Amino acid sequence: MPDLSEYYQPQSLTAALELLAKSNGKLIPLAGGTDIVPAMGKGELKANGLVDLSKLSEIRRISMDDSEIKIGSLTTFAQIETSPLIQAKASLLADAAAAVGSPQIRTTGTIGGNIANASPAADTVTALVTLDAQARLDSIKGSRRVLVSELLCGVGKTNIHPQEIITEITFKIPSTGSKTGFIKLGRRKALAIARMNLAIIVTLDNGKISFARVGLGAVGPNPRRYPVLENSLVGQSPSESLIDEFAIEAEREVTRVLGSRPSAIYKCEAVKGIARDLLKKMFSDSGQGVV
Amino acid sequence: MKKRGYGLANMWYGIGNTANPNPSGAFVDFLDDGTAIVLTGCADIGQGSNTVLAQIAAETLGICIEDVVIISADTEVTPDAGASSASRQTYVSGNAVRLAAEKVRDQVIAIAAEILNLPTETVNLYQGEIWNSNESSGVSIKDIIIKCRSKGILTLGHGSYNPVTTMLDPETGKGIPYATYAFATQVAEVEVDTETGIVEVKQIVAAHDVGTAINPQNVEGQIEGGCAMGIGYALLEEVILKDGEIQNPGMSTYLIPTSLDVPEIHTIIIEESEISGPYGAKGVGEPALVPTAAAIANAVADALGIRIYDLPLTPERVVAALKSAQEDSKKV
């Protein structure tokens, strides 16, 4: 069992923020705990105390506002995976949430925790950066909004201040008629950490791709967008040859980013396989992934 | 690119410990309410031996399986039955239970024949009653056991069985290492992605000669479990050592297949009765695992046209093998 001297379970967000403000960085916010608890058990993470956010139902909900989706940071992967709203408006995020761990982990783990943990392989984070999602951070001093991609600054590192909590994630709904998709490459079909993951959004105008977003995870220190890959899609028409060209472009990008790392040999080749699988699915006529 | 392939593997496997005595013992107590208690050291580790041993006792005593209580693997009260290993418990402990139950049955038959004035050779126990040839006498086994008690006779039996083997000649290795063998053939169908290197097992057909299947559903479960384990052996399981230290000592790093990684397994049970087995049974525990990895590796070789000699067939190994084959063909 982790060694803990203090444990709080505030009943309101304000109470939670006050606790963090007073603690001088000694307390760590606890969401689903699926990363923090094992890390404390192994002694990899030391904390004087935890602020358990699980009672803050005010930040555990999904809603839509005009053209924007808002997801409370404590919303679980299972809630996102099964949300009709997310499935209809941003299926890449529903698919990414469904790819996390196992049913038990998805029932407990949260989207805010997935960002704060800053794993290079975080499945929903790849989908969120592809959506240009923003995180809202609250402290007793006020709140700010930051792009998820800018909040992450390395393996296990974020720009979240010790007295702040991620409270909400927002993103613009991709324009009507867009197609979105997510694919994960794991060592097995469940309970696997992503070797790589890929999220894509394309909008078609008169048979040509007018807008594209491409995010890759487990290549660099954090999942991020790859503008070179986005540009390789824009202006093109979906076709077998476009899939081939995109796969080769993806190989080039991953090669450039990974350089001579030991994992490069495998990942450069494998990215082509997942790129092909995902684009083939997205370019098919099935209604899957259509916004 | 996705490539399909098919692979076949055969195996034979000795039942019991190799060229060594490995006896099992059992006690059977036929009670005056017509139920029986079986004491066996056989540990049911999920494979279902308690069920199979109860079936063997019930069959021998002519009673329902519901009327058999198994007390197993309790060193305080049960006789030694050796390890639940070597695919031996159905065969070895099954025989011990059968022999113990036969001793009790013979006592009950002798008393029944005497009381009912019938020749012992034609008396049998069946469906809770005393039968003469093919006809029930209408007298219940329970009544006979009560009569035994009134005469001061307890209906107890013990049995033990040790598979007939010989030591192996230290020079030639010749001898009789096992009393009986299981045989099997498995076929695997795979799809390999030549870029991600992922091997997906699409289906497995597993045909196993288990002797008589005492509990066919149980045998099916054993075969499916063995195939699942074989998929792990073929594709996932690897102990990674660095300077003598295991780098992946937990279930989160030493991966085994999840239910989503296991495809449909079509089991075919071949019942070739084994004369020395209890009601013709042999064993199926380990045989179910033995050919799976070979069948999958053969299927991968069929799909790719190249053969990989190291297990597990991880995505990295598959991709590396494809790349080196490509480079070799360029040289030629």
Side-chain angles (χ1 to χ4, degrees):
Chain A
M1 277 299 290
D3 190 17
L4 265 187
S5 55
E6 289 177 70
Y7 179 83
Y8 299 94
Q9 195 177 63
Q11 304 296 308
S12 73
L13 181 59
T14 316
L17 295 176
E18 277 168 5
L19 278 167
L20 287 177
K22 272 192 289 183
S23 86
N24 275 329
K26 284 184 178 168
L27 296 176
I28 295 178
L30 176 77
T34 54
D35 289 308
I36 284 184
V37 174
M40 290 183 81
K42 284 186 214 157
E44 292 165 1
L45 179 76
K46 299 248 185 283
N48 283 332
L50 295 172
V51 179
D52 176 358
L53 308 178
S54 64
K55 296 291 170 189
L56 310 183
S57 54
E58 57 206 279
I59 53 171
R60 195 192 289 278
R61 62 173 66 123
I62 301 169
S63 61
M64 190 169 76
D65 178 3
D66 295 331
S67 58
E68 206 176 58
I69 284 182
K70 299 177 173 188
I71 302 174
S73 60
L74 237 57
T75 308
T76 64
F77 299 119
Q79 282 175 296
I80 294 166
E81 172 191 358
T82 56
S83 156
L85 183 63
I86 303 293
Q87 284 170 355
K89 301 293 181 191
S91 69
L92 78 169
L93 183 58
D95 290 350
V100 174
S102 62
Q104 295 90 331
I105 291 170
R106 295 197 291 275
T107 305
T108 313
T110 69
I111 190 156
N114 212 203
I115 297 170
N117 189 53
S119 156
D123 289 314
T124 64
V125 175
T126 300
L128 290 176
V129 297
T130 306
L131 285 160
D132 285 325
Q134 291 193 322
R136 178 190 155 127
L137 296 140
D138 281 61
S139 71
I140 51 163
K141 288 181 187 156
S143 74
R144 59 182 179 128
R145 282 185 187 277
V146 187
L147 277 172
V148 170
S149 56
E150 287 172 10
L151 202 55
L152 303 167
C153 55
V155 177
K157 290 189 187 131
T158 67
N159 295 314
I160 306 168
H161 302 142
Q163 67 274 25
E164 280 181 326
I165 294 174
I166 303 174
T167 49
E168 190 177 68
I169 293 100
T170 57
F171 57 84
K172 281 214 166 62
I173 296 167
S175 51
T176 309
S178 298
K179 273 199 170 188
T180 80
F182 173 89
I183 191 168
K184 170 175 179 167
L185 179 69
R187 287 198 184 275
R188 59 183 173 189
K189 288 185 182 169
L191 269 170
I193 295 164
R195 302 294 317 283
M196 253 190 302
N197 51 32
L198 170 67
I200 298 179
I201 303 168
V202 289
T203 311
L204 284 164
D205 264 328
N206 295 321
K208 280 210 158 83
I209 296 168
S210 58
F211 174 92
R213 286 281 179 270
V214 177
L216 261 174
V219 175
N222 299 112
R224 67 169 176 87
R225 277 176 48 199
Y226 285 73
V228 172
L229 297 182
E230 293 170 354
N231 293 338
S232 77
L233 291 173
V234 173
Q236 308 290 319
S237 301
S239 67
E240 283 285 334
S241 62
L242 179 61
I243 294 175
D244 285 337
E245 284 160 27
F246 182 83
I248 290 163
E249 203 64 55
E251 180 185 22
R252 231 176 261 151
E253 272 296 275
V254 173
T255 307
R256 192 179 60 75
V257 173
L258 288 179
S260 58
R261 280 188 217 179
S263 64
I265 300 167
Y266 173 67
K267 287 187 176 177
C268 297
E269 189 67 22
V271 74
K272 292 190 283 182
I274 57 169
R276 260 186 242 284
D277 279 358
L278 183 58
L279 280 184
K280 215 173 265 176
K281 199 174 89 179
M282 289 174 67
F283 289 170
S284 75
D285 291 329
S286 83
Q288 241 183 333
V290 178
V291 180
Chain B
M1 200 202 290
K2 314 265 189 205
K3 290 189 169 179
R4 290 247 166 175
Y6 299 86
L8 179 146
N10 302 311
M11 74 102 226
W12 62 319
Y13 191 83
I15 302 298
N17 295 9
T18 310
N20 263 311
N22 60 118
S24 269
F27 297 133
V28 172
D29 187 356
F30 215 169
L31 305 172
D32 45 9
D33 63 355
T35 68
I37 297 172
V38 175
L39 285 89
T40 165
C42 171
D44 192 331
I45 51 174
Q47 84 278 32
S49 56
N50 281 354
T51 306
V52 163
L53 297 178
Q55 282 182 268
I56 289 170
E59 182 75 15
T60 311
L61 299 173
I63 57 176
C64 299
I65 185 173
E66 293 83 355
D67 289 333
V68 178
V69 171
I70 299 279
I71 296 169
S72 64
D74 180 347
T75 51
E76 194 165 62
V77 293
T78 57
D80 187 11
S84 287
S85 68
S87 305
R88 59 182 286 282
Q89 290 294 18
T90 298
Y91 179 71
V92 186
S93 293
N95 262 330
V97 169
R98 177 184 61 87
L99 289 166
E102 277 173 3
K103 282 193 185 138
V104 178
R105 183 188 65 188
D106 291 350
Q107 291 173 55
V108 175
I109 285 174
I111 304 284
E114 189 188 311
I115 291 168
L116 303 174
N117 202 18
L118 295 167
T120 52
E121 307 83 63
T122 58
V123 173
N124 207 356
L125 310 183
Y126 187 56
Q127 291 183 337
E129 291 180 338
I130 309 295
W131 287 54
N132 181 32
S133 297
N134 295 321
E135 211 179 330
S136 173
S137 67
V139 178
S140 71
I141 295 172
K142 186 177 144 184
D143 288 340
I144 297 297
I145 296 177
I146 291 168
K147 290 253 165 58
C148 290
R149 294 293 184 276
S150 67
K151 289 168 183 265
I153 299 167
L154 286 174
T155 38
L156 299 168
H158 65 86
S160 70
Y161 185 78
N162 183 39
V164 180
T165 61
T166 66
M167 297 283 280
L168 303 184
D169 187 290
E171 294 289 321
T172 64
K174 285 183 181 173
I176 303 169
Y178 308 105
T180 186
Y181 295 83
F183 304 89
T185 294
Q186 291 185 2
V187 179
E189 180 186 355
V190 302
E191 187 178 86
V192 188
D193 186 309
T194 56
E195 287 168 331
T196 64
I198 300 255
V199 176
E200 188 178 349
V201 182
K202 305 302 272 188
Q203 52 183 340
I204 291 175
V205 180
H208 285 255
D209 168 15
V210 300
T212 303
I214 298 217
N215 190 317
Q217 200 177 14
N218 205 336
V219 170
E220 211 176 287
Q222 289 266 75
I223 294 172
E224 287 169 354
C227 288
M229 205 167 161
I231 291 170
Y233 179 27
L235 303 179
L236 289 167
E237 294 183 46
E238 187 168 31
V239 174
I240 299 163
L241 277 171
K242 194 182 164 195
D243 303 326
E245 202 177 312
I246 294 174
Q247 302 297 303
N248 55 341
M251 298 307 282
S252 60
T253 46
Y254 180 91
L255 302 188
I256 62 170
T258 68
S259 57
L260 294 183
D261 299 290
V262 180
E264 174 119 27
I265 295 159
H266 310 274
T267 57
I268 300 168
I269 301 173
I270 310 292
E271 294 193 277
E272 181 82 24
S273 185
E274 163 57 38
I275 194 158
S276 68
Y279 297 100
K282 299 194 289 194
V284 71
E286 291 151 298
L289 159 70
V290 174
T292 313
I296 292 170
N298 280 340
V300 170
D302 180 46
L304 300 179
I306 56 168
R307 193 164 272 284
I308 302 165
Y309 292 96
D310 296 305
L311 291 181
L313 302 170
T314 59
E316 287 88 346
R317 279 202 180 118
V318 171
V319 167
L322 282 165
K323 279 199 170 160
S324 84
Q326 235 169 24
E327 275 157 27
D328 289 350
S329 71
K330 273 183 204 155
K331 278 179 211 154
V332 175

